[in-house]
PDB file of all heavy atoms in Angstrom:
ATOM      1  N   LYS I   7       4.300   3.188  17.986  1.00 98.00           N
ATOM      2  CA  LYS I   7       4.796   4.466  17.457  1.00 98.00           C
ATOM      3  C   LYS I   7       6.041   4.911  18.228  1.00 98.00           C
ATOM      4  O   LYS I   7       7.023   5.374  17.648  1.00 98.00           O
ATOM      5  CB  LYS I   7       3.703   5.544  17.588  1.00 98.00           C
ATOM      6  CG  LYS I   7       2.499   5.322  16.696  1.00 98.00           C
ATOM      7  CD  LYS I   7       1.456   6.417  16.893  1.00 98.00           C
ATOM      8  CE  LYS I   7       0.276   6.200  15.928  1.00 98.00           C
ATOM      9  NZ  LYS I   7      -0.661   7.308  15.889  1.00 98.00           N
ATOM     10  N   SER I  31       5.419  16.106  12.041  1.00 98.00           N
ATOM     11  CA  SER I  31       4.251  16.466  12.839  1.00 98.00           C
ATOM     12  C   SER I  31       3.370  15.243  13.089  1.00 98.00           C
ATOM     13  O   SER I  31       3.358  14.306  12.298  1.00 98.00           O
ATOM     14  CB  SER I  31       3.413  17.505  12.090  1.00 98.00           C
ATOM     15  OG  SER I  31       4.225  18.540  11.638  1.00 98.00           O
ATOM     16  N   GLY I  32       2.626  15.308  14.179  1.00 97.00           N
ATOM     17  CA  GLY I  32       1.698  14.219  14.487  1.00 97.00           C
ATOM     18  C   GLY I  32       2.131  13.462  15.736  1.00 97.00           C
ATOM     19  O   GLY I  32       3.178  13.755  16.327  1.00 97.00           O
ATOM     20  N   SER I  33       1.355  12.468  16.115  1.00 98.00           N
ATOM     21  CA  SER I  33       1.613  11.779  17.385  1.00 98.00           C
ATOM     22  C   SER I  33       2.908  10.957  17.349  1.00 98.00           C
ATOM     23  O   SER I  33       3.612  10.863  18.360  1.00 98.00           O
ATOM     24  CB  SER I  33       0.421  10.885  17.744  1.00 98.00           C
ATOM     25  OG  SER I  33       0.175   9.944  16.716  1.00 98.00           O
ATOM     26  N   THR I  34       3.241  10.383  16.185  1.00 98.00           N
ATOM     27  CA  THR I  34       4.478   9.585  16.099  1.00 98.00           C
ATOM     28  C   THR I  34       5.695  10.510  16.128  1.00 98.00           C
ATOM     29  O   THR I  34       6.675  10.240  16.836  1.00 98.00           O
ATOM     30  CB  THR I  34       4.482   8.706  14.827  1.00 98.00           C
ATOM     31  OG1 THR I  34       3.169   8.189  14.617  1.00 98.00           O
ATOM     32  CG2 THR I  34       5.465   7.567  14.951  1.00 98.00           C
ATOM     33  N   ALA I  35       5.601  11.610  15.386  1.00 98.00           N
ATOM     34  CA  ALA I  35       6.690  12.603  15.412  1.00 98.00           C
ATOM     35  C   ALA I  35       6.839  13.193  16.818  1.00 98.00           C
ATOM     36  O   ALA I  35       7.958  13.480  17.261  1.00 98.00           O
ATOM     37  CB  ALA I  35       6.419  13.707  14.384  1.00 98.00           C
ATOM     38  N   ASP I  84       9.650  11.723  10.336  1.00 98.00           N
ATOM     39  CA  ASP I  84       8.234  12.094  10.348  1.00 98.00           C
ATOM     40  C   ASP I  84       7.354  10.841  10.224  1.00 98.00           C
ATOM     41  O   ASP I  84       7.831   9.792   9.781  1.00 98.00           O
ATOM     42  CB  ASP I  84       7.945  13.057   9.177  1.00 98.00           C
ATOM     43  CG  ASP I  84       6.619  13.786   9.333  1.00 98.00           C
ATOM     44  OD1 ASP I  84       5.922  13.593  10.353  1.00 98.00           O
ATOM     45  OD2 ASP I  84       6.279  14.566   8.423  1.00 98.00           O
ATOM     46  N   GLY I  85       6.116  10.975  10.605  1.00 98.00           N
ATOM     47  CA  GLY I  85       5.151   9.877  10.530  1.00 98.00           C
ATOM     48  C   GLY I  85       4.466   9.812   9.181  1.00 98.00           C
ATOM     49  O   GLY I  85       4.826  10.527   8.240  1.00 98.00           O
ATOM     50  N   ALA I  86       3.440   8.960   9.091  1.00 98.00           N
ATOM     51  CA  ALA I  86       2.644   8.842   7.856  1.00 98.00           C
ATOM     52  C   ALA I  86       1.285   8.257   8.205  1.00 98.00           C
ATOM     53  O   ALA I  86       1.111   7.633   9.262  1.00 98.00           O
ATOM     54  CB  ALA I  86       3.356   7.955   6.841  1.00 98.00           C
ATOM     55  N   ASP I  87       0.341   8.467   7.302  1.00 98.00           N
ATOM     56  CA  ASP I  87      -0.993   7.879   7.472  1.00 98.00           C
ATOM     57  C   ASP I  87      -1.069   6.516   6.788  1.00 98.00           C
ATOM     58  O   ASP I  87      -1.794   5.634   7.239  1.00 98.00           O
ATOM     59  CB  ASP I  87      -2.046   8.835   6.897  1.00 98.00           C
ATOM     60  CG  ASP I  87      -1.997  10.171   7.601  1.00 98.00           C
ATOM     61  OD1 ASP I  87      -2.193  10.193   8.827  1.00 98.00           O
ATOM     62  OD2 ASP I  87      -1.710  11.189   6.941  1.00 98.00           O
ATOM     63  N   LYS I  97       0.514  11.278   3.532  1.00 98.00           N
ATOM     64  CA  LYS I  97       0.688  12.062   4.750  1.00 98.00           C
ATOM     65  C   LYS I  97      -0.348  13.186   4.733  1.00 98.00           C
ATOM     66  O   LYS I  97      -1.047  13.381   3.764  1.00 98.00           O
ATOM     67  CB  LYS I  97       2.100  12.647   4.820  1.00 98.00           C
ATOM     68  CG  LYS I  97       3.161  11.571   4.965  1.00 98.00           C
ATOM     69  CD  LYS I  97       4.563  12.112   5.123  1.00 98.00           C
ATOM     70  CE  LYS I  97       4.705  13.289   6.029  1.00 98.00           C
ATOM     71  NZ  LYS I  97       4.139  13.111   7.389  1.00 98.00           N
ATOM     72  N   GLY I  98      -0.422  13.919   5.812  1.00 96.00           N
ATOM     73  CA  GLY I  98      -1.289  15.101   5.808  1.00 96.00           C
ATOM     74  C   GLY I  98      -2.540  14.975   6.637  1.00 96.00           C
ATOM     75  O   GLY I  98      -3.376  15.875   6.637  1.00 96.00           O
ATOM     76  N   GLY I  99      -2.655  13.857   7.391  1.00 96.00           N
ATOM     77  CA  GLY I  99      -3.799  13.728   8.288  1.00 96.00           C
ATOM     78  C   GLY I  99      -3.878  14.898   9.260  1.00 96.00           C
ATOM     79  O   GLY I  99      -4.962  15.332   9.648  1.00 96.00           O
ATOM     80  N   GLY I 100      -2.716  15.422   9.619  1.00 96.00           N
ATOM     81  CA  GLY I 100      -2.672  16.574  10.536  1.00 96.00           C
ATOM     82  C   GLY I 100      -2.664  17.906   9.808  1.00 96.00           C
ATOM     83  O   GLY I 100      -2.645  18.965  10.443  1.00 96.00           O
ATOM     84  N   GLY I 101      -2.636  17.859   8.484  1.00 97.00           N
ATOM     85  CA  GLY I 101      -2.723  19.081   7.683  1.00 97.00           C
ATOM     86  C   GLY I 101      -1.405  19.819   7.494  1.00 97.00           C
ATOM     87  O   GLY I 101      -1.391  20.929   6.972  1.00 97.00           O
ATOM     88  N   ALA I 102      -0.284  19.178   7.862  1.00 98.00           N
ATOM     89  CA  ALA I 102       1.010  19.866   7.760  1.00 98.00           C
ATOM     90  C   ALA I 102       1.779  19.443   6.508  1.00 98.00           C
ATOM     91  O   ALA I 102       2.982  19.668   6.388  1.00 98.00           O
ATOM     92  CB  ALA I 102       1.840  19.583   9.010  1.00 98.00           C
ATOM     93  N   LEU I 103       1.064  18.859   5.530  1.00 98.00           N
ATOM     94  CA  LEU I 103       1.731  18.182   4.409  1.00 98.00           C
ATOM     95  C   LEU I 103       2.688  19.054   3.599  1.00 98.00           C
ATOM     96  O   LEU I 103       3.743  18.590   3.172  1.00 98.00           O
ATOM     97  CB  LEU I 103       0.675  17.582   3.480  1.00 98.00           C
ATOM     98  CG  LEU I 103      -0.380  18.582   2.972  1.00 98.00           C
ATOM     99  CD1 LEU I 103      -0.636  18.405   1.519  1.00 98.00           C
ATOM    100  CD2 LEU I 103      -1.677  18.396   3.737  1.00 98.00           C
ATOM    101  N   GLU I 106       5.833  19.609   5.438  1.00 98.00           N
ATOM    102  CA  GLU I 106       6.492  18.297   5.534  1.00 98.00           C
ATOM    103  C   GLU I 106       7.198  17.963   4.220  1.00 98.00           C
ATOM    104  O   GLU I 106       8.316  17.442   4.215  1.00 98.00           O
ATOM    105  CB  GLU I 106       5.451  17.226   5.884  1.00 98.00           C
ATOM    106  CG  GLU I 106       4.928  17.374   7.309  1.00 98.00           C
ATOM    107  CD  GLU I 106       3.724  16.516   7.631  1.00 98.00           C
ATOM    108  OE1 GLU I 106       3.116  15.943   6.724  1.00 98.00           O
ATOM    109  OE2 GLU I 106       3.394  16.439   8.816  1.00 98.00           O
ATOM    110  N   LYS I 124       0.063   0.966   9.686  1.00 98.00           N
ATOM    111  CA  LYS I 124       0.068   1.956   8.596  1.00 98.00           C
ATOM    112  C   LYS I 124       0.563   1.341   7.276  1.00 98.00           C
ATOM    113  O   LYS I 124       0.440   1.963   6.221  1.00 98.00           O
ATOM    114  CB  LYS I 124       0.987   3.142   8.958  1.00 98.00           C
ATOM    115  CG  LYS I 124       0.590   3.888  10.236  1.00 98.00           C
ATOM    116  CD  LYS I 124      -0.582   4.804   9.997  1.00 98.00           C
ATOM    117  CE  LYS I 124      -0.987   5.630  11.201  1.00 98.00           C
ATOM    118  NZ  LYS I 124      -0.056   6.642  11.604  1.00 98.00           N
TER     119      LYS I 124
HETATM  120  C1  LIG U 301       0.671  15.242   9.602  1.00 70.28           C
HETATM  121  C2  LIG U 301       1.129  13.934   9.114  1.00 70.28           C
HETATM  122  C3  LIG U 301       1.378  12.848  10.123  1.00 70.28           C
HETATM  123  O1  LIG U 301       2.675  12.393   9.980  1.00 70.28           O
HETATM  124  C4  LIG U 301       0.404  11.731   9.868  1.00 70.28           C
HETATM  125  O2  LIG U 301      -0.920  12.248   9.902  1.00 70.28           O
HETATM  126  C5  LIG U 301       0.554  10.617  10.891  1.00 70.28           C
HETATM  127  O3  LIG U 301       0.091  11.043  12.120  1.00 70.28           O
HETATM  128  P1  LIG U 301       0.261  10.161  13.441  1.00 70.28           P
HETATM  129  O4  LIG U 301       1.723  10.035  13.687  1.00 70.28           O
HETATM  130  O5  LIG U 301      -0.450  10.974  14.499  1.00 70.28           O
HETATM  131  O6  LIG U 301      -0.411   8.833  13.204  1.00 70.28           O
HETATM  132  O7  LIG U 301       1.323  13.703   7.943  1.00 70.28           O
HETATM  133  O8  LIG U 301       0.372  16.110   8.538  1.00 70.28           O
END
Side-chain angles (χ1 to χ4, degrees):
K7 292 179 177 190
S31 311
S33 58
T34 321
D84 196 2
D87 300 300
K97 294 184 42 53
L103 55 136
E106 290 169 348
K124 301 283 183 69

